[in-house]
Amino acid sequence: AQSVTQLGSHVSVSEGALVLLRCNYSSSVPPYLFWYVQYPNQGLQLLLKYTTGATLVKGINGFEAEFKKSETSFHLTKPSAHMSDAAEYFCAVSEGGSQGNLIFGKGTKLSVKP
Amino acid sequence: DGGITQSPKYLFRKEGQNVTLSCEQNLNHDAMYWYRQDPGQGLRLIYYSQIVNDFQKGDIAEGYSVSREKKESFPLTVTSAQKNPTAFYLCASSILLSGEQFFGPGTRLTVL
């Protein structure tokens, strides 16, 4: 069965510092991978996705992620944190590539200190 | 504007009562989903539907029921059999075989 592990339920960075949120997955087939962001009491918004092709994926709000098959990872990064980045971030993998449902990690809450 | 609407945003229920959460989408998506979110638990799939008049149980379907009579609507009923229904409920939809899901704003259910 597929699974997603997000290392660190809480991450705190200073404004302007690098943001790194870690995601590892397990999948027996080529995965589709997603990062979503959630602000308090709101739904999830797609940040970026990897399906096929280029392994470095750029998303909205300056975020990017790199698919590393050998490490089964899809870590999310942003060079310089902004106060508005404070939110909860979810990594997800699609069962069977495009065929199936999403399996979500438990989320990482990002705090940004002024 | 195309999107997914959920109503109400906040819902309070007395123990022993059934309650129905609404989810409507105008994106012309075939697939719709219901998730439950608890702090530190991520999102857990309750039910999903890929076509009108058909739906499948997810990982935590016990105590919940759904219907899919129209393509754009996928209401969720939380029954009295659900022992711990207080949670944030999210509805989503997707184009079949795309993987990517679009989410509504959520309904927060509290049992008094």
Side-chain angles (χ1 to χ4, degrees):
Chain A
Q2 294 183 315
S3 66
V4 176
T5 302
Q6 291 185 239
L7 296 177
S9 58
H10 288 87
V11 170
S12 182
V13 301
S14 297
E15 192 172 20
L18 171 72
V19 175
L20 171 60
L21 304 183
R22 300 178 187 274
C23 174
N24 289 88
Y25 68 92
S26 67
S27 176
S28 58
V29 298
Y32 281 22
L33 295 159
F34 304 83
W35 274 101
Y36 284 87
V37 61
Q38 184 182 34
Y39 298 98
N41 291 312
Q42 295 186 25
L44 275 65
Q45 179 185 6
L46 182 70
L47 274 179
L48 50 78
K49 63 182 178 182
Y50 169 79
T51 54
T52 58
T55 57
L56 181 61
V57 180
K58 295 187 185 298
I60 62 171
N61 301 338
F63 284 93
E64 62 182 36
E66 186 171 10
F67 169 58
K68 292 187 176 180
K69 184 178 178 181
S70 61
E71 299 178 7
T72 61
S73 69
F74 191 57
H75 302 330
L76 182 70
T77 61
K78 182 175 181 178
S80 177
H82 192 273
M83 297 296 291
S84 61
D85 295 326
E88 190 157 21
Y89 293 80
F90 292 92
C91 181
V93 60
S94 177
E95 293 181 308
S98 66
Q99 301 294 322
N101 298 326
L102 292 182
I103 306 297
F104 286 87
K106 294 191 175 184
T108 297
K109 190 164 289 187
L110 176 67
S111 300
V112 182
K113 298 175 291 187
Chain B
D1 287 335
I4 302 174
T5 57
Q6 293 186 241
S7 61
K9 187 168 180 61
Y10 298 96
L11 188 57
F12 298 90
R13 189 194 92 174
K14 294 181 180 179
E15 282 192 29
Q17 288 182 336
N18 293 356
V19 64
T20 297
L21 283 59
S22 169
C23 178
E24 304 275 334
Q25 56 99 359
N26 60 5
L27 299 168
N28 199 33
H29 287 171
D30 290 301
M32 297 187 73
Y33 310 81
W34 273 106
Y35 293 92
R36 172 180 171 139
Q37 185 179 19
D38 297 281
Q41 297 279 333
L43 275 70
R44 293 182 289 170
L45 183 64
I46 304 173
Y47 270 98
Y48 65 101
S49 168
Q50 295 183 327
I51 193 170
V52 173
N53 292 322
D54 189 41
F55 47 82
Q56 287 76 41
K57 293 182 179 180
D59 300 318
I60 57 164
E62 185 176 352
Y64 300 97
S65 66
V66 294
S67 63
R68 187 87 186 276
E69 297 177 0
K70 298 185 295 183
K71 185 176 184 178
E72 59 269 24
S73 178
F74 191 41
L76 173 74
T77 297
V78 184
T79 74
S80 57
Q82 170 50 236
K83 298 305 179 188
N84 185 22
T86 293
F88 192 53
Y89 290 87
L90 287 160
C91 179
S93 70
S94 73
I95 298 169
L96 272 181
L97 307 182
S98 72
E100 178 181 348
Q101 294 181 15
F102 296 79
F103 284 81
T107 292
R108 186 166 297 281
L109 173 64
T110 303
V111 174
L112 304 174

